[in-house]
């Protein structure tokens, strides 16, 4: 009963903290205007998930310092097996539709997708509790945000279909200017229309991209990902909740560097916690999850053994920046489109490669689309701290990029 009330209080506080004064319709920026018909309602999502999430038997949640029983392990295995089946059926359905196969084949695949999703939905609440409890156990062990066995904010996720994100950048430079959450059902055709309107009407570069998760409360996590990727993303979004009431999180929008610090820090912490949580559940580690800033739906999977994706992407960013700095906007855009085709030819199905693509993915300093030094700086910072708890607590007090650099310099000077 206490856990139920604790989580409800936390939910209310975080929702209230996230709400600001309503936007005046006359003050809408270009991204909001072009996306008005497709904008995602955070309040609608909260209201739609509140009853479903909290009507489940929270009193039966697992103790945070023990692993799941055999039945829970079975549920997890089945849920993520169904998630893999869902991905395969979705690919087959997309191919059948593209090849204009007969309506019967398409209906059969649609029926199979519906059956798989129905089966996943029945397991979802129990699986969410196991994942939350496992991540919480890692946090308790690391003594991060814990009071005994209580974690604040509590780890809380919803395996769902996260919204898409519209990102804009000026055409004459790579700079993340505006973000708008869009309905998850906005597909490639409509995404292209939105991006073209931004270009034609406002002379802006735009990108509509899927995202793996969002720091709503409960956190919205893509329910079709593999287990380790799910755990890492869940920990990543929880860390945003944690930072929201601390200096680093409050300063997220104060500068591009602070946004990159927040996102890259969340990726690093989420990865460490997610790997530990995965080991608790599976007894081993999987291959690393993709960077949360990447666009998994657009990029796809290529052959890294034959094509140096990271190196080619860094070269694309470097040359694109050079051309834009010279004022050669059209040449830069033609170059990026030429490079996009190179990636596609090598199995990386990038739908759009433009200034907005780099503005978004560049926020994650570990991404090859970034030119920020912050990833190397944060990795150095982590190496100079004795444990994850110290890393988290020290970084959470940082309120500016200059303060971060000063703290890093101090750590370097104090290290023998």
């Amino acid at each position: 009963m206490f856990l139920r009330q604790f989580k409800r209080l936390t939910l209310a506080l975080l929702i209230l903290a996230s709400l600001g004064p309503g936007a005046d319709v006359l003050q809408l920026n270009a991204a909001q205007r072009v996306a008005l018909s497709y904008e995602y309602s955070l309040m609608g999502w909260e209201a739609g998930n509140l009853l479903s999430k909290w009507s489940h038997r929270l009193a039966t949640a697992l103790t945070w310092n023990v692993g799941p029983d055999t039945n829970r392990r079975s549920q997890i295995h089945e849920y993520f097996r169904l998630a893999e089946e869902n991905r395969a059926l979705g690919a087959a359905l997309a191919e059948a539709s593209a090849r204009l196969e007969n309506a019967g084949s398409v209906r059969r695949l649609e029926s199979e997708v519906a059956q798989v999703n129905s089966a996943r939905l029945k397991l979802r609440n129990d699986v969410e509790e196991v994942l939350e409890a496992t991540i919480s156990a890692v946090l308790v062990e690391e003594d991060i945000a814990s009071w005994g066995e209580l974690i604040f904010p509590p780890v809380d996720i919803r395996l769902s279909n996260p919204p898409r994100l519209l990102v804009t950048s000026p055409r004459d430079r790579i700079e993340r200017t505006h973000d708008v959450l869009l309905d998850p059902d906005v597909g490639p055709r409509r995404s292209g229309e939105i991006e073209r309107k931004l270009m034609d009407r406002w002379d802006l570069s735009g990108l509509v991209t899927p995202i793996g998760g969002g720091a709503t409360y409960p956190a919205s996590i893509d329910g079709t990902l593999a287990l380790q990727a799910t755990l890492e993303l869940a920990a990543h979004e929880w860390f945003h909740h944690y930072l929201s009431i601390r200096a680093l999180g409050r300063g997220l929008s104060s500068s591009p560097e602070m946004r990159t610090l927040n996102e890259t820090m969340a990726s690093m912490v989420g990865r460490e916690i997610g790997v530990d949580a995965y080991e608790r559940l599976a007894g081993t580690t999987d291959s690393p999850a993709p960077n949360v800033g990447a666009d998994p739906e657009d990029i796809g999977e290529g052959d890294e053994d034959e094509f140096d994706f990271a190196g080619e992407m860094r070269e694309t960013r470097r040359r694109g920046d050079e051309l834009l700095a010279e004022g050669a906007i059209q040449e830069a855009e033609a170059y990026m489109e030429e490079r996009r085709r190179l990636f596609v030819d090598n199995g990386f199905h990038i739908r759009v490669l433009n200034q907005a693509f780099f503005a978004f993915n560049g926020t994650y300093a570990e991404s090859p689309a970034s030119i920020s030094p912050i990833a190397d700086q944060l990795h150095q910072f982590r190496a100079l701290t004795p444990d994850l708890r110290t890393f988290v607590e020290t970084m959470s007090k940082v309120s500016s990029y200059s303060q971060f650099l000063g703290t890093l310099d101090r750590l370097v000077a104090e290290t023998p």
Side-chain angles (χ1 to χ4, degrees):
M1 179 63 71
F2 175 75
L3 178 60
R4 179 184 303 169
Q5 297 302 324
F6 182 62
K7 282 195 170 185
R8 283 178 175 169
L9 174 61
T10 303
L11 172 65
L13 290 173
L14 286 173
I15 290 175
L16 287 173
S18 68
L19 297 178
D24 187 331
V25 70
L26 298 178
Q27 309 264 336
L28 294 180
N29 60 53
Q32 291 170 323
R33 290 185 184 185
V34 78
L36 200 57
S37 300
Y38 317 109
E39 196 162 357
Y40 183 78
S41 170
L42 282 174
M43 290 303 295
W45 187 89
E46 297 284 1
N49 283 274
L50 185 63
L51 180 61
S52 173
K53 180 70 179 174
W54 301 115
S55 62
H56 192 61
R57 292 185 303 125
L58 290 177
T60 64
L62 296 171
T63 303
W64 290 347
N65 59 4
V66 298
D69 57 23
T70 302
N71 182 54
R72 293 298 177 102
R73 287 184 184 275
S74 175
Q75 289 175 324
I76 291 172
H77 175 79
E78 179 62 9
Y79 181 90
F80 286 98
R81 184 195 68 78
L82 289 168
E84 184 175 354
E85 187 175 344
N86 175 274
R87 293 194 296 273
L89 286 170
L93 179 58
E95 182 178 358
S97 300
R99 293 179 181 277
L100 302 177
E101 293 185 7
N102 64 72
S105 297
V106 172
R107 281 197 298 270
R108 176 181 58 78
L109 287 167
E110 288 175 338
S111 176
E112 290 182 33
V113 168
Q115 290 174 15
V116 168
N117 285 336
S118 177
R120 287 170 58 232
L121 196 59
K122 291 176 182 178
L123 295 169
R124 181 173 67 171
N125 284 327
D126 288 331
V127 169
E128 287 170 350
E129 286 187 31
V130 173
L131 302 184
E132 291 163 359
T134 306
I135 292 171
S136 297
V138 174
L139 292 169
V140 168
E141 184 176 278
E142 296 284 351
D143 194 21
I144 296 173
S146 64
W147 287 266
E149 291 190 1
L150 282 179
I151 300 295
F152 188 85
V155 180
D156 208 14
I157 65 171
R158 171 55 92 197
L159 298 173
S160 62
N161 187 13
R164 291 176 181 259
L165 182 68
L166 169 61
V167 180
T168 64
S169 169
R171 291 179 63 204
D172 63 355
R173 62 190 183 280
I174 293 170
E175 178 183 312
R176 189 167 172 176
T177 49
H178 297 296
D179 295 356
V180 180
L181 291 175
L182 304 181
D183 189 280
D185 294 326
V186 172
R189 181 183 61 81
R190 192 157 289 165
S191 296
E193 291 174 357
I194 291 170
E195 291 155 357
R196 283 191 294 274
K197 284 181 182 178
L198 282 167
M199 172 79 79
D200 296 342
R201 298 183 185 179
W202 288 282
D203 197 32
L204 289 172
S205 174
L207 172 73
V208 177
T209 177
I211 54 177
T216 52
Y217 197 83
S220 175
I221 305 296
D222 186 346
T224 68
L225 298 175
L227 175 57
Q228 183 167 331
T230 300
L231 288 164
E232 292 188 21
L233 276 170
H236 176 110
E237 301 304 346
W238 172 82
F239 191 64
H240 280 306
H241 295 159
Y242 171 86
L243 288 180
S244 67
I245 52 176
R246 289 167 173 82
L248 182 61
R250 291 197 302 269
L252 182 146
S253 300
S254 62
S255 71
E257 292 81 10
M258 283 295 285
R259 181 189 287 271
T260 301
L261 267 178
N262 270 267
E263 292 295 354
T264 309
M265 177 81 179
S267 294
M268 291 173 62
V269 172
R271 189 161 53 244
E272 283 200 48
I273 294 171
V275 167
D276 283 352
Y278 184 83
E279 288 179 341
R280 284 172 177 262
L281 287 175
T284 184
T285 55
D286 201 354
S287 57
N291 185 286
V292 294
D295 181 342
E297 190 170 289
D298 282 351
I299 291 178
E301 296 181 0
D303 189 344
E304 285 281 9
D305 292 334
E306 297 182 1
F307 182 76
D308 181 9
F309 174 82
E312 295 292 344
M313 184 59 74
R314 290 191 184 96
E315 173 59 22
T316 305
R317 174 64 192 266
R318 185 195 66 78
R319 181 57 182 154
D321 276 331
E322 283 182 356
L323 289 168
L324 291 174
E326 295 168 3
I329 297 173
Q330 293 183 342
E331 290 88 340
E333 290 172 341
Y335 168 73
M336 286 187 278
E337 172 58 19
E338 176 187 329
R339 298 290 287 181
R340 185 192 71 81
R341 293 176 183 174
L342 172 67
F343 289 116
V344 171
D345 288 344
N346 284 277
F348 296 90
H349 301 142
I350 299 175
R351 184 181 61 83
V352 172
L353 186 60
N354 60 7
Q355 297 90 327
F357 174 95
F358 284 110
F360 171 63
N361 287 283
T363 304
Y364 302 84
E366 294 178 311
S367 165
S370 174
I371 58 171
S372 172
I374 286 175
D376 289 340
Q377 292 165 347
L378 272 174
H379 284 290
Q380 183 184 19
F381 201 111
R382 176 67 183 95
L384 294 170
T385 51
D387 50 48
L388 185 60
R389 178 177 182 269
T390 305
F391 180 49
V392 166
E393 290 190 350
T394 306
M395 278 299 304
S396 68
K397 298 172 185 176
V398 168
S399 59
S400 69
Y401 183 53
S402 60
Q403 182 187 355
F404 164 71
L405 293 176
T407 306
L408 177 58
D409 287 343
R410 177 178 58 78
L411 286 175
V412 171
E414 292 174 354
T415 301

